[in-house]
Amino acid sequence: LDDLLRLVERQVFSVRPGSAASVKRLSEMVFIEIMNISIEEGNRDGAIFQAFSDPQIGQSLALIHDDPAAKWSVEILANHVGMSRSRFAERFNRLVGTGPMSYVSDWRLQKALSLLDETQLDVKQVAHKVGYQSKASFTRAFSAKHGHSPMKYRRRSDAGTRA
């Protein structure tokens, strides 16, 4: 998995022909590998499948996925699914493997990658669409997660597509 992730990272910022197609295919392989690891570690269906099939946690994941720009908090998500804040946070963490707000942040940044790849929206518009109040806060979060600013990501991605 580590090798696959390093390869994905190299391809994301590559200017070589076909790098965008490689990233899409490698992402599928990463997903399959994560599912295999989860199954091998004793979770027959994979933890994320359990999370999505849990009535309350699955509903909260659907809410996050449907509207990543919403002003989510643990309390708001817990209220939407009819759970106490502490019970929701504990179950979410146990089933998903990360806290609710960390998941929200990761999902927003994943959606941002798609928007940067698939649209001509400027960085400020992407930031707003995925729930960041400012371009600066989005750029900080994106850079911390991906090691590059959104503009640098887009330039490299565009160069790889043109090549």
Side-chain angles (χ1 to χ4, degrees), residues 123-163:
V123 173
K124 185 176 181 179
Q125 291 170 313
V126 170
H128 179 72
K129 281 196 164 293
V130 298
Y132 286 87
Q133 300 304 309
S134 72
K135 179 181 171 183
S137 64
F138 168 65
T139 298
R140 279 191 301 275
F142 189 96
S143 297
K145 177 81 172 174
H146 300 292
H148 300 281
S149 71
M151 287 300 296
K152 188 171 184 179
Y153 171 81
R154 178 170 268 167
R155 280 193 304 267
R156 288 185 172 189
S157 182
D158 287 347
T161 301
R162 283 191 306 271

Side-chain angles (χ1 to χ4, degrees), residues 6 19 24 29 38 45-46 50 58 60 71 75 80 144 154:
R6 279 192 287 278
S19 61
K24 289 181 181 183
M29 291 175 63
S38 180
D45 296 324
Q50 281 187 347
S60 71
K71 293 185 182 199
E75 186 170 354
H80 271 288
R154 178 170 268 167

Side-chain angles (χ1 to χ4, degrees), residues 56-70:
Q56 284 113 347
I57 302 307
Q59 182 182 355
S60 71
L61 290 168
L63 290 167
I64 293 164
H65 288 205
D66 288 344
D67 191 5

Side-chain angles (χ1 to χ4, degrees), residues 29-121:
M29 291 175 63
V30 167
F31 176 78
I32 292 166
E33 188 62 20
I34 289 171
M35 291 300 105
N36 284 333
I37 289 168
S38 180
I39 291 167
E40 287 169 6
E41 290 180 352
N43 187 350
R44 196 174 130 283
D45 296 324
I48 198 70
F49 295 130
Q50 281 187 347
F52 275 102
S53 65
D54 181 274
Q56 284 113 347
I57 302 307
Q59 182 182 355
S60 71
L61 290 168
L63 290 167
I64 293 164
H65 288 205
D66 288 344
D67 191 5
K71 293 185 182 199
W72 297 121
S73 69
V74 175
E75 186 170 354
I76 289 170
L77 287 165
N79 286 338
H80 271 288
V81 300
M83 294 178 75
S84 73
R85 183 187 183 285
S86 59
R87 190 160 181 238
F88 170 76
E90 183 278 324
R91 189 187 302 173
F92 191 101
N93 199 358
R94 181 171 38 87
L95 292 175
V96 178
T98 189
M101 298 318 297
S102 179
Y103 186 88
V104 168
S105 178
D106 286 346
W107 182 250
R108 286 176 173 166
L109 293 172
Q110 187 64 38
K111 291 297 290 179
L113 283 173
S114 294
L115 290 171
L116 290 167
D117 282 339
E118 298 167 8
T119 72
Q120 294 302 313
L121 297 173

